[in-house]
Amino acid sequence: MTREEKLTVIEDLTAQLAESGIIYLADISGLDAQTTSNLRRACFKANIKLAVVKNTLLAKAMEASDKDFGDLPSTLKGNTSLMLSETGNAPAKLIKDFRKKSNKPLLKGAFIEEAIFIGDEQLETLVAIKSKEEVIGDIIGLLQSPAKNVISGLKSGGGKLAGILKTLSEKES
């Protein structure tokens, strides 16, 4: 690879890192062709971009990035695959599910909205992270709960103020 080609790869990686708030580093070495193809297919279906990268070029892209990757570059040893996603826990769920049939991929580390996770033992923590959509859904559910109580109180109280107040006070207990 020529110096110009390396610079182009570093620039491309730097742009990808800048665009994504969800970055996973994994080790997929040792997977046979069929298993690797299955992993790539699963990544495509889950809207996860998977790319095998050269550690030195990714390290330079991380240095050139505006993001603080902390100790994440220290994981750049051996085979490294870059997984980029829009959902924080999607790559972790995919890795966990894929490992039901294989002992790989191994999680090297992750960068999720400025939080850094290092090591395969962080996989369960990353699986449990809720996406923005899940958090918004939880908040909407919590906000709807009091409104449902008022509506059910109105219905069960027969429309009379005393009945409504009695029903709502019973629901608080």
Side-chain angles (χ1 to χ4, degrees):
M1 186 179 283
T2 67
R3 180 180 207 134
E4 290 78 25
E5 290 171 333
K6 287 180 182 178
L7 289 173
T8 302
V9 170
I10 292 169
E11 288 174 4
D12 290 345
L13 285 171
T14 304
Q16 289 177 22
L17 295 176
E19 290 172 10
S20 183
I22 314 298
I23 301 163
Y24 279 67
L25 302 178
D27 177 1
I28 64 170
S29 64
L31 295 180
D32 62 28
Q34 181 62 45
T35 309
T36 302
S37 178
N38 291 342
L39 176 62
R40 289 187 179 280
R41 193 173 297 111
C43 286
F44 181 77
K45 286 180 183 176
N47 200 23
I48 298 169
K49 184 176 181 184
L50 176 69
V52 176
V53 293
K54 192 166 183 174
N55 290 331
T56 55
L57 300 181
L58 181 56
K60 288 182 181 188
M62 286 176 156
E63 286 175 24
S65 172
D66 292 338
K67 296 178 181 174
D68 179 12
F69 290 103
D71 290 337
L72 203 55
S74 69
T75 66
L76 297 176
K77 296 176 180 105
N79 182 295
T80 303
S81 294
L82 183 65
M83 299 174 90
L84 303 174
S85 175
E86 293 178 12
T87 306
N89 62 3
K93 286 180 177 179
L94 185 134
I95 290 170
K96 182 178 178 181
D97 187 51
F98 206 79
R99 290 213 323 226
K100 291 177 183 173
K101 301 173 202 140
S102 173
N103 62 349
K104 298 266 177 132
L106 293 175
L107 176 68
K108 289 179 149 193
F111 176 90
I112 301 176
E113 305 291 341
E114 299 181 16
I116 298 167
F117 301 85
I118 295 180
D120 195 59
E121 63 276 359
Q122 299 291 325
L123 187 62
E124 288 300 323
T125 303
L126 293 168
V127 168
I129 289 177
K130 290 189 175 192
S131 68
K132 290 178 186 175
E133 292 78 16
E134 290 170 324
V135 171
I136 290 170
D138 289 349
I139 291 170
I140 290 172
L142 290 171
L143 292 174
Q144 286 178 338
S145 182
K148 288 179 183 175
N149 288 342
V150 170
I151 291 169
S152 69
L154 289 171
K155 289 179 180 176
S156 66
K160 296 183 182 167
L161 187 57
I164 295 168
L165 292 174
K166 181 180 177 212
T167 303
L168 288 175
S169 65
E170 288 171 358
K171 289 193 183 235
E172 288 180 9
S173 302

